[in-house]
């Protein structure tokens, strides 16, 4: 019975993540989680590194979300970003930028 506990806990966590994802509301505007990052210096550098098509898709989603927000509307439910379709397109680039910055900071200390 102890072997089944981690599986049940895993399913519970996934269910909780999906519930929280829907609660955040950005998906109702067609945004992905990575679209909501605050654009500090690290994020701006990561955005320079993503492929042009991915960047253009991001800009489209943000502009559409701004338009919907100004109209105080949301997308039809079938157009909401689903939890399973939300891809971390920026996170790997951001992780790399942060790692490089920390490495540079460490190098400058020497």
């Amino acid at each position: 019975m102890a072997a089944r506990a981690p599986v049940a806990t895993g399913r519970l966590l996934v269910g909780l993540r999906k519930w929280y994802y829907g609660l955040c509301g950005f998906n109702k505007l067609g945004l992905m989680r990575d679209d909501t990052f605050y654009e500090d210096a690290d994020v701006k550098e990561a955005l320079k590194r993503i492929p042009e098509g991915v960047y253009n898709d991001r800009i489209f989603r943000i502009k559409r979300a701004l338009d919907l927000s100004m109209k105080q509307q949301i997308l039809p439910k079938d157009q909401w970003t689903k939890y399973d379709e939300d891809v971390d397109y920026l996170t790997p680039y951001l992780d790399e930028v942060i790692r490089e910055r920390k490495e540079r900071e460490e190098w400058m200390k020497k």
Side-chain angles (χ1 to χ4, degrees), residues 21 26 31-34 81-88:
Y21 184 84
F26 59 82
L31 294 172
M32 294 182 165
R33 188 182 62 86
D34 284 4
T81 306
K82 288 146 190 75
Y83 177 82
D84 301 330
E85 296 171 355
D86 195 331
V87 180
D88 292 342

Side-chain angles (χ1 to χ4, degrees), residues 3 5 9 15 18 23-25 34-36 48 56 58 70 74 77 90-92 97 99 101 103 105-106 108:
T9 303
K18 287 182 179 182
L23 193 65
C24 289
D34 284 4
D35 295 336
T36 64
K48 292 177 185 175
N56 291 338
R58 171 191 166 87
M70 287 178 54
I74 60 172
K77 192 164 186 165
L90 186 60
T91 303
V97 167
R99 183 186 53 75
R101 178 179 47 80
E103 192 175 291
E105 289 170 355
E106 284 298 315
M108 297 304 282

Side-chain angles (χ1 to χ4, degrees), residues 2 7 28-29 39 41-42 63 70 75 86 90 97 103 105:
V7 174
K28 297 174 184 173
L29 298 172
E39 288 192 24
D42 291 337
K63 285 183 177 184
M70 287 178 54
L75 290 171
D86 195 331
L90 186 60
V97 167
E103 192 175 291
E105 289 170 355

Side-chain angles (χ1 to χ4, degrees), residues 39-51:
E39 288 192 24
D40 60 7
D42 291 337
V43 172
K44 287 178 182 178
E45 179 59 34
L47 286 169
K48 292 177 185 175
R49 298 180 183 195
I50 62 175

